[in-house]
Amino acid sequence: MSEQINEQELVQYIAERSKAKPEAIRLVLKHENAFINNAHKGAKGEVDIDGDELVDYVVSRPDVKLDELTVETILELEMDYLMDKGLAGYAD
């Protein structure tokens, strides 16, 4: 995660809206980070992530005990948070 992101604030934001436990949220974010770090980077260093592939990857991790919908919700809320802070956006 970037230094610009307050992880505690992010986890609290997601927890309040998803009712997921902070430990579960941190685990999902950890696996998401690993997935992104292993993704192919484009010419400008951008990473094109397929949301369904990301959710499938996180759900398939043996230490993740959440259902697909909960993982998807956590990831969507993370994106909402990042977009609110001006740190991320969707590619056209």
Side-chain angles (χ1 to χ4, degrees):
M1 286 203 175
S2 165
E3 296 84 41
Q4 299 172 343
I5 299 170
N6 179 332
E7 183 184 357
Q8 187 173 343
E9 184 181 291
L10 170 62
V11 170
Q12 183 177 350
Y13 176 95
I14 295 169
E16 288 171 356
R17 289 158 179 81
S18 70
K19 307 299 182 228
K21 293 187 169 136
E23 312 81 58
I25 294 166
R26 284 189 182 90
L27 188 60
V28 168
L29 297 177
K30 179 185 92 169
H31 287 303
E32 174 198 29
N33 201 30
F35 181 86
I36 291 170
N37 287 338
N38 291 325
H40 175 73
K41 291 185 176 40
K44 296 179 184 174
E46 297 167 342
V47 178
D48 185 23
I49 301 294
D50 180 295
D52 292 335
E53 287 179 15
L54 175 56
V55 170
D56 290 345
Y57 172 83
V58 173
V59 171
S60 74
R61 302 297 89 196
D63 56 345
V64 175
K65 307 295 184 218
L66 301 170
D67 60 77
E68 192 172 317
L69 182 59
T70 303
V71 170
E72 197 170 301
T73 300
I74 289 169
L75 295 172
E76 286 174 0
L77 287 167
E78 178 198 23
M79 191 63 172
D80 290 348
Y81 173 87
L82 295 174
M83 287 174 42
D84 286 350
K85 298 288 184 182
L87 300 171
Y90 289 103
D92 292 330

